[in-house]
């Protein structure tokens, strides 16, 4: 974030995409070697040196499954980033002093959608429900003195697509 906040929108997007690509590649490598380790432990009949003589592949499989799920999640994030399908929160300024009003624009790749805006600083400071009827919406929030410095905003959206298969 120290580097990203000083970049333009295009450079920000490419650097973020690069970071997610590297993370996805590392997650895939970790998943591959975790599965390989589990298989080799099973193939060589490795057992623990404790009194119970547990086959080592048994606990290693849970690590391999977790690594596979993590790799899938990272590839999913990469695809969403690449296609521009991530929710973006764009403030009108970089910093806000106490007593100021923040104007935030929320851009969503789908709509209509309902969402929850969460303001966080050492825990949840404020929550607000929003509804997106179009691809963007703008909200104004007064900044209290207790919110500065270092408050973060998170927007979680759920799409509200109409059902077409109801009988």
């Amino acid at each position: 974030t120290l580097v990203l906040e000083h970049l333009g929108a295009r450079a920000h997007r490419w650097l973020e995409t690069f970071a997610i690509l590297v993370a996805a590649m590392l997650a895939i490598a970790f998943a591959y070697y975790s599965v390989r380790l589990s298989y080799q432990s099973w193939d060589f009949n490795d057992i623990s040196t404790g009194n119970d003589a547990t086959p080592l592949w048994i606990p290693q499989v849970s690590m391999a499954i977790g690594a596979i799920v993590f790799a899938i999640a990272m590839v999913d994030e990469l695809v969403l980033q690449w296609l521009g399908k991530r929710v973006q929160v764009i403030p009108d300024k970089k910093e806000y002093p106490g007593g100021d009003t923040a104007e935030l624009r929320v851009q969503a790749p789908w709509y209509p959608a309902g969402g929850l805006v969460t303001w966080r600083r050492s825990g949840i400071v404020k929550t607000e429900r929003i509804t997106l009827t179009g691809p963007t919406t703008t909200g104004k929030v007064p900044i209290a003195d207790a919110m500065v410095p270092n408050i973060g905003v998170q927007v979680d959206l759920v799409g509200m697509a109409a059902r077409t298969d109801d009988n």
Side-chain angles (χ1 to χ4, degrees), residues 90-107:
I90 303 167
D92 62 332
K93 294 190 244 177
K94 286 191 177 197
E95 294 182 13
Y96 299 95
D100 199 358
T101 300
E103 187 172 315
L104 302 174
R105 185 175 61 185
V106 178
Q107 291 181 329

Side-chain angles (χ1 to χ4, degrees), residues 77-157:
E77 277 298 309
L78 179 62
V79 169
L80 289 175
Q81 176 71 16
W82 188 263
L83 297 176
K85 302 260 182 185
R86 296 178 80 192
V87 177
Q88 294 182 347
V89 179
I90 303 167
D92 62 332
K93 294 190 244 177
K94 286 191 177 197
E95 294 182 13
Y96 299 95
D100 199 358
T101 300
E103 187 172 315
L104 302 174
R105 185 175 61 185
V106 178
Q107 291 181 329
W110 67 89
Y111 60 90
L116 180 68
V117 180
T118 309
W119 298 79
R120 299 169 186 238
R121 180 175 184 258
S122 300
I124 296 176
V125 174
K126 177 181 176 168
T127 60
E128 179 183 349
R129 291 182 59 120
I130 61 170
T131 302
L132 275 76
T133 56
T136 63
T137 189
T138 303
K140 293 185 179 184
V141 178
I143 304 295
D145 289 332
M147 292 179 167
V148 291
N150 300 331
I151 189 155
V153 178
Q154 178 177 332
V155 178
D156 298 302
L157 295 178

Side-chain angles (χ1 to χ4, degrees), residues 1-8 91-97 151:
T1 32
L2 290 175
V3 174
L4 290 177
E5 69 184 23
H6 298 292
L7 297 176
D92 62 332
K93 294 190 244 177
K94 286 191 177 197
E95 294 182 13
Y96 299 95
I151 189 155

